[in-house]
């Protein structure tokens, strides 16, 4: 089992006591062995005291300087790590199970200035109280979801921090991807509708039946809410509906 490391203040005190104790126990004996005359001994004792102050001060300086260097490196690393969420162009938020927002990076503050005051009532954080409960009950650590705020879509990666009981939300704006997906779906529906219309042209035998078939496949395959065909009556200039489907 690894022994716990002593804290710095205690280590400094113990080293200082050890150094001072050895100095008191040994320095006089060594001095009397080397210098037998009393007058000279007195002078040397004075010098010995000043030497002790110099040595102990140097020892304390080295110890404190080493710790200061380590602390500065730790602070610099912490600041460096903290710059990642601060400089991230995507919203990052930390929130607890009660809806209190503990952290918002600048991107989140710019996009959602009322997020801190609204908490779970904000659309961007909607239903997250249920997600927190799920994290706590199921023991999972991360989830993913997509949420819409006004005209924008966001992909949210959710991470639960057990030690603090808080939820971290990392979001990415996926509006352009969503728009591209919707456009792809619309194009597929249109192609499906055209394909069915072409089959109807070959299959039906009358003009009225063709018009109705076009309206039917437009609603069924094109997923239009309403489809209708009208013919212009040249005598009156009016458009007369001849086939329709949808909005029942």
């Amino acid at each position: 089992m690894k022994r716990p490391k002593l804290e710095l203040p205690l280590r400094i005190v113990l080293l200082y006591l050890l150094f001072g104790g050895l100095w008191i126990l040994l320095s006089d004996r060594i001095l009397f062995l080397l210098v037998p005359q009393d007058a000279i001994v007195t002078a040397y004792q004075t010098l010995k005291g000043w030497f002790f102050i110099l040595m102990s001060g140097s020892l304390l300086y080295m110890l404190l300087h080493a710790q200061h260097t380590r602390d500065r490196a730790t602070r610099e690393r912490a600041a460096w790590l903290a710059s990642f969420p601060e400089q991230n162009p995507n919203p990052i938020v930390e929130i607890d199970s009660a809806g209190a927002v503990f952290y918002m990076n600048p991107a989140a503050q710019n996009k959602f200035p009322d997020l801190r005051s609204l908490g779970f009532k904000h659309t961007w954080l909607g239903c997250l109280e249920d997600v927190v409960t799920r994290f706590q009950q199921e023991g999972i650590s991360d989830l993913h979801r997509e949420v819409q705020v006004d005209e924008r879509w966001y992909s949210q990666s959710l991470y639960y921090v057990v030690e603090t009981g808080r939820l971290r939300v990392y979001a990415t704006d996926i509006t352009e991807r969503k728009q591209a997906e919707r456009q792809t779906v619309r194009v597929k529906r249109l192609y499906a509708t055209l394909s069915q219309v072409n089959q109807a042209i070959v299959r039906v035998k009358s003009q009225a039946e063709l018009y109705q078939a076009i309206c039917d496949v437009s609603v069924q395959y094109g997923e239009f809410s309403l489809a209708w065909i009208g013919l212009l009556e040249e005598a009156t200039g009016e458009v007369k509906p001849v086939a329709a489907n949808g909005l029942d």
Side-chain angles (χ1 to χ4, degrees):
M1 182 177 178
K2 189 176 180 180
R3 298 177 62 183
K5 192 174 182 180
L6 296 177
E7 296 183 357
L8 177 66
L10 181 58
R11 295 205 308 270
I12 292 176
V13 170
L14 290 176
L15 286 173
Y16 185 79
L17 291 175
L18 176 63
F19 178 77
L22 291 175
W23 185 270
I24 292 172
L25 292 174
L26 301 178
S27 61
D28 286 338
R29 297 181 182 182
I30 295 174
L31 182 61
F32 279 113
L33 289 175
L34 296 176
V35 183
Q37 293 86 353
D38 292 341
I40 299 177
V41 167
T42 301
Y44 272 97
Q45 283 180 334
T46 301
L47 293 176
K48 180 171 66 71
W50 284 109
F51 184 73
F52 172 77
I53 293 174
L54 177 63
M55 291 298 296
S56 61
S58 300
L59 177 62
L60 287 174
Y61 171 79
M62 289 187 293
L63 292 172
L64 294 174
H65 178 71
Q67 183 61 33
H68 174 72
T69 302
R70 288 192 293 268
D71 289 344
R72 183 174 61 184
T74 301
R75 289 194 299 269
E76 291 176 352
R77 177 171 176 78
W80 175 67
L81 292 173
S83 68
F84 281 84
E86 288 292 303
Q87 298 178 5
N88 194 318
N90 298 309
I92 299 176
V93 172
E94 185 175 78
I95 190 169
D96 69 3
S97 58
V101 177
F102 283 83
Y103 172 77
M104 294 174 61
N105 72 337
Q109 296 175 20
N110 292 333
K111 292 179 181 293
F112 314 112
D114 56 346
L115 190 68
R116 191 179 296 276
S117 60
L118 293 178
F120 286 143
K121 295 181 181 179
H122 196 286
T123 307
W124 197 75
L125 296 176
C127 300
L128 280 188
E129 58 267 51
D130 298 330
V131 174
V132 173
T133 302
R134 183 179 174 188
F135 274 120
Q136 295 171 341
Q137 293 179 349
E138 300 181 14
I140 55 180
S141 58
D142 60 275
L143 284 174
H144 177 80
R145 72 170 190 169
E146 295 179 355
V147 60
Q148 184 178 10
V149 180
D150 298 328
E151 299 298 323
R152 310 299 297 180
W153 277 91
Y154 295 91
S155 172
Q156 293 181 339
S157 296
L158 311 173
Y159 298 91
Y160 184 68
V161 184
V162 178
E163 294 77 9
T164 61
R166 298 175 186 171
L167 188 66
R168 291 177 181 171
V169 184
Y170 300 84
T172 304
D173 192 321
I174 58 170
T175 304
E176 293 184 0
R177 192 194 79 188
K178 282 290 187 178
Q179 292 174 345
E181 290 175 353
R182 287 197 297 266
Q183 182 64 22
T184 300
V185 171
R186 284 195 293 265
V187 171
K188 288 182 178 180
R189 290 203 301 259
L190 287 175
Y191 277 121
T193 301
L194 290 175
S195 176
Q196 293 297 320
V197 168
N198 289 333
Q199 294 181 36
I201 292 173
V202 176
R203 185 178 64 254
V204 300
K205 298 179 180 179
S206 67
Q207 192 176 55
E209 187 180 356
L210 175 61
Y211 292 155
Q212 188 59 50
I214 292 174
C215 293
D216 294 341
V217 298
S218 297
V219 172
Q220 181 179 357
Y221 293 94
E223 298 185 16
F224 293 99
S225 57
L226 172 65
W228 68 278
I229 297 176
L231 298 179
L232 176 64
E233 292 186 350
E234 296 182 359
T236 62
E238 296 179 353
V239 176
K240 180 180 179 182
V242 295
N245 194 348
L247 289 181
D248 295 335

